[in-house]
Each structure stands twice: as structure tokens, then as C-alpha cells.
Amino acid sequence: MPPPGDILIIGAGPAGLTAAYELSRHGVTGTIVEADVVVGGIARTVERDGYRFDLGGHRFFTKVKEIENLWDEMLGEPMLTRPRLSRIFYGGKFYDYPLKPWNALRNMGFFRATACMASYARAKVSPIKSPANYEQWVTNQFGKKLFRMFFKSYTEKVWGIPCDQIGADWAAQRIKGLSLGEAVRNALLGQRKNGGGVVKTLIDSFRYPRLGPGQLWENCTKTLVDRGWRVRMNTKVVGLATEGERVSAVTVRTPDGATETLPAAQVFSSMPLRSLLRGLTPTPPPDVLAAANKLAYRDFLVVALVIDAPDLFPDNWIYVHEPQVNVGRIQNFKNWSPAMVPDPAKTCLGMEYFVNEGDELWSMNDDDLVKLAYSELQKIGLAGGPLEKGYVVRVPKAYPVYDTGYQERLGTIREWVTRFDNLHCIGRNGQHRYNNQDHSMATALIAARNVTGDTDRDPWAVNEDAEYHEIAKTERQTPMRQG
């Protein structure tokens, strides 16, 4: 066991806080450094004038019972159980999602629906062999016409690159187990179990903290401080020194702009993998650094709009596939939890934009972004009342990009970085994987238990088979205790 206080955790998101929480169960303490001023990472809840909103909606749903129990323990109060309702806005019409055949048929019209079914049939009879990218994989599952209607525009909004430049494993990871036949079967006959559980995209309810996901991570942080952990906010890691096959120290920039070197018997890193590699001293080998420099990220911003109307629409969220507007998804936070909105006569919506840091939308001032978001809400026909106020939150490096060739680059990095026996890469950005909360937490549990001696497993093996996160078919994909 490392000396007390010499454990350093980079990042106070789900992975970093879970690692600290597991270590605290063994009486181990240390330091967590977080570059932001709020805990929770992208799973935090932002509060402005009493209005609370997510950075994207965060459903609490998992097949791993241990994670579910851990959520309850960390939160300290019962979660809400919320009905799930989401739709797709495309071509001026709203399509139920998951698919409901009669709704889709009514919106498409007979001739378009017939063409879509014929396209689907062709894809089943003559699928693309060994699909190499997202477009080919989804076309195999749904047919080319449905791909163009319901996948292409939204996916390209999210990632900012054409679908044929996105890896096929992005589709396999997010929507494996779901096909047009599966969606229709579930719509007509009810949910069918798939590999021991419901396909994630088809679930009709989920759990949610009363005050948003940030409530859980804020409460977890309070518990950790009570157990002796030090949590340093607004403290950014700017370098890591290595000696042989160990990290020897971590350099941080403090809130006042000074630098400070911290001891590091064990380091748990959930910082972006590209930034981690760039900060190592001595510099990694040229091929490793080149692979790291080619890792791509997609940034994110949310414009929260307070609308002077008590009820606007029943959905938790709406996917906006319409290419005529920039917004990609709209969250209705009141429908996640009534406690997210302090005034029941108002509604708070989250207009989500997927951007690149420094581009036109990212650089637009907040007032103009609020005006843009409200005008797009009006174009879609969902405004339903006058705008009262708005808030903007920007999130750099929110999503690791699964562009073609990323797996080879990640393999090169992983092979080299695992040589350091006291460096543990965990979480979404720490492993450059688009993990949900539960699997980010699983990587942290495994890494922490490797340090305490409870297990000897590979955190990188979590979800390695490109299954959707909640469909864990093998023992190695879950963080269950051994023995």
C-alpha cells in the first residue's frame, strides 16, 4: 500500500472520484486535482440562478449491480425513476424514438416508407462485407435510406466529420444489438431481452438524482473530504516526471498561476490521453507522441434557455436531425426532475451544440449564442413562450473522436503507457473511449483494487469487445470482485 497522501488522482469526474471512493474504503487517502471549479466532469450539474442543468442528459442505467449500489451509496438518498420519452425531429416532423411503426409510417407517407423498407431489404440480402466505417455499418443494419434520414445528419453534427471517416466501432459500441427488425419487434411485441438485458437504446425508464447527476458527485466529494482526502479545484496538471518505469512527480498550476510539484506514489489519470502524453518528461518515443498528437476530440457547449411557460413538450430530450439548424439535441430538464427548475411556471431547456474549440460557435459571445439558440427553437416550433434569460457553458474535449485509424493509434499508446507500473489511465478521456458513467466507474474500481491488492485485472479490458456499454456479456467487462 502506498504511503498516505502520496496517491494523486487527476480529475474529479466519475472515474477519478470513484477511484478515490474505493481507496477510501481501505482507509487510503490522497489528493485529487481538478482543473475546473466544479466536480463531476461532464457529468456535473451546472446551477445558475437556481436553475440546474446537465451538460448533456445523464441517464442512470446499468447492467452492473455493483455500480447501481455504488450510485445509491454515494448519493445518500433515493433516486427518482423517470419515464423515458425521446423523439427525432427531421423534415419538420417528430418521429418517436425508439421507432414506433405507425408513427413512422404516418410521418413518412406510404411511398417513402415503402422505399425505406425496400432499402432495408437490400441491405439484408446484400450487406457490405467487413464494414470499415460508421456509414457502412449503419447501412447494413437499417438500409441506406434510413441511414440518410435518421443517422447521417445528426452524427455529422455530433462529430463534425463525414460518416465515412468515423470508425465502424463507434456504431458497434453505441447501437449494437439494435436493428430495424429489433426496433419494430419491440414496438409491436414489447421489449425483448438481448444477451441478458434490454438493448440500451430501447429502455423506457431510467433512474435520476433529484438535483441532477452533479448532486451525486458533490455528495461523493463531501464524503471523501470527511474521510481525509484533499480535493484541489482550479488546479491543472501541466507535467509528469518519470524515472524508469514509474511516474515520480506531478507538476500542477495552482489557482494563483504558480507551479507546484506533488509526490506521486500512485497516479490515477482521467485527463485527456493526448495531454497526458504531451506532458510526460522525458518525452515519449516519436511514434507514441505522434499517435497521441493525432487523437482527436469534439468539444461541446450548452445554451440553457429559461422560457416563460410551464410546459412545452413531454420529452426528456429531442434529437435534432434537421440540417437547417445547428442545434443537435434539446434537453427538457424539468422532465428529468421537477426540482431542476425553481419556478414551476418556467421551463429550462438545454440547447446542445457540438463544436470544435475556436470555431465560429465556440467563439461567439454568450448573448449572441442565447439569441441563436432561441431563434432555432422557434424554427423547430418548440419555443412555446417568450425567452426570459439564458446561460452558456462550454466544455472542451468532451468527446473522444472515433475517427478511422484511431484504434491503431490508441494501441500504440496503450502498449507504451502501460509500462509505467504506478500510472493508471481511467475513464472516458483517460482511455480515449466514449464510456458512459458506469463503465468509466468500472475502470476506476478495477484500477483502485489493483493498487489495494484486491484484484489483478486490466482496466483497459473493460468493454473491450465493442459491445454497447450496458450489455456486459463477459465477466471481464464488469468490475465484480473476484473470489
Side-chain angles (χ1 to χ4, degrees), residues 20-211:
Y21 195 89
E22 177 64 19
L23 292 167
S24 75
R25 288 170 159 173
H26 296 262
V28 178
T29 60
T31 300
I32 303 170
V33 292
E34 168 57 51
D36 210 327
V37 295
V38 182
V39 300
I42 197 171
R44 69 186 184 269
T45 300
V46 179
E47 190 274 331
R48 297 285 189 273
D49 299 326
Y51 291 91
R52 300 175 69 88
F53 50 94
D54 290 6
L55 305 179
H58 286 82
R59 290 178 286 173
F60 284 72
F61 175 85
T62 181
K63 283 185 56 62
V64 182
K65 186 63 178 176
E66 182 178 0
I67 298 291
E68 191 167 30
N69 294 339
L70 191 56
W71 283 335
D72 291 335
E73 183 180 328
M74 287 176 169
L75 182 61
E77 67 174 60
M79 286 196 194
L80 306 175
T81 298
R82 306 301 295 162
R84 174 242 174 98
L85 176 61
S86 60
R87 289 180 293 171
I88 292 170
F89 181 75
Y90 174 79
K93 297 178 181 179
F94 291 92
Y95 291 80
D96 292 329
Y97 188 78
L99 176 69
K100 293 180 181 177
W102 308 125
N103 166 263
L105 180 61
R106 183 174 63 250
N107 281 342
M108 288 183 190
F110 177 78
F111 293 107
R112 177 180 280 188
T114 301
C116 287
M117 293 307 298
S119 174
Y120 172 70
R122 284 193 295 273
K124 295 292 104 177
V125 172
S126 301
I128 300 167
K129 294 182 179 179
S130 303
N133 56 55
Y134 179 92
E135 179 173 345
Q136 293 176 347
W137 195 98
V138 175
T139 298
N140 276 357
Q141 294 293 105
F142 296 93
K144 187 169 287 293
K145 286 191 178 294
L146 284 174
F147 161 74
R148 289 174 177 167
M149 287 180 65
F150 294 127
F151 294 91
K152 178 178 170 62
S153 62
Y154 179 76
T155 302
E156 291 181 353
K157 275 188 187 183
V158 172
W159 298 111
I161 56 177
C163 287
D164 61 5
Q165 294 179 24
I166 300 171
D169 46 323
W170 161 249
Q173 175 177 298
R174 302 307 290 183
I175 55 178
K176 189 178 178 72
L178 178 67
S179 65
L180 182 61
E182 184 74 19
V184 171
R185 186 183 301 111
N186 278 270
L188 296 177
L189 303 176
Q191 291 181 347
R192 185 180 72 165
K193 297 294 184 180
N194 182 57
V198 177
V199 178
K200 175 66 184 293
T201 48
L202 298 176
I203 65 169
D204 56 13
S205 66
F206 56 89
R207 303 173 74 217
Y208 190 74
R210 178 176 54 88
L211 296 176

Side-chain angles (χ1 to χ4, degrees), residues 224-402:
L224 289 171
V225 171
D226 290 342
R227 293 179 181 178
W229 278 79
R230 188 180 183 193
V231 182
R232 298 181 56 174
M233 307 302 296
N234 197 19
T235 302
K236 183 178 181 179
V237 171
V238 294
L240 297 89
T242 64
E243 295 180 5
E245 296 184 346
R246 292 184 64 82
V247 176
S248 56
V250 175
T251 301
V252 299
R253 181 176 294 115
T254 61
D256 61 4
T259 57
E260 179 182 350
T261 299
L262 305 175
Q266 297 286 339
V267 177
F268 295 79
S269 174
S270 63
M271 69 188 292
L273 196 55
R274 186 177 70 187
S275 300
L276 174 73
L277 270 291
R278 287 175 173 177
L280 288 174
T281 304
T283 303
D287 62 325
V288 176
L289 193 58
N293 286 333
K294 289 181 181 178
L295 292 180
Y297 298 86
R298 188 67 162 158
D299 308 301
F300 170 86
L301 67 84
V302 59
V303 183
L305 301 178
V306 178
I307 308 297
D308 188 11
D311 297 294
L312 294 178
F313 50 85
D315 308 72
N316 307 104
W317 67 93
I318 293 173
Y319 299 103
V320 184
H321 290 216
E322 194 65 62
Q324 282 73 30
V325 293
N326 293 294
V327 65
R329 192 169 54 179
I330 304 172
Q331 304 286 346
N332 190 335
F333 299 114
K334 198 175 190 178
N335 293 341
W336 290 76
S337 168
M340 301 283 279
V341 178
D343 184 348
K346 314 292 183 186
T347 297
C348 183
L349 304 179
M351 306 286 285
E352 298 181 2
Y353 294 87
F354 306 97
V355 296
N356 289 326
E357 190 171 357
D359 69 13
E360 182 180 0
L361 284 174
W362 179 274
S363 304
M364 190 178 292
N365 68 57
D366 289 3
D367 289 342
D368 288 341
L369 277 170
V370 170
K371 291 176 184 176
L372 171 68
Y374 185 65
S375 70
E376 294 197 337
L377 190 66
Q378 290 176 310
K379 287 180 184 178
I380 297 169
L382 292 176
L387 174 67
E388 187 163 297
K389 50 189 167 184
Y391 315 96
V392 177
V393 177
R394 295 170 177 82
V395 185
K397 297 182 178 61
Y399 306 112
V401 174
Y402 280 24

Side-chain angles (χ1 to χ4, degrees), residues 411-425:
T412 298
I413 295 166
R414 174 178 167 180
E415 182 179 1
W416 186 80
V417 81
T418 51
R419 66 194 286 267
F420 297 103
D421 58 16
N422 69 333
L423 176 61
H424 315 278
C425 294

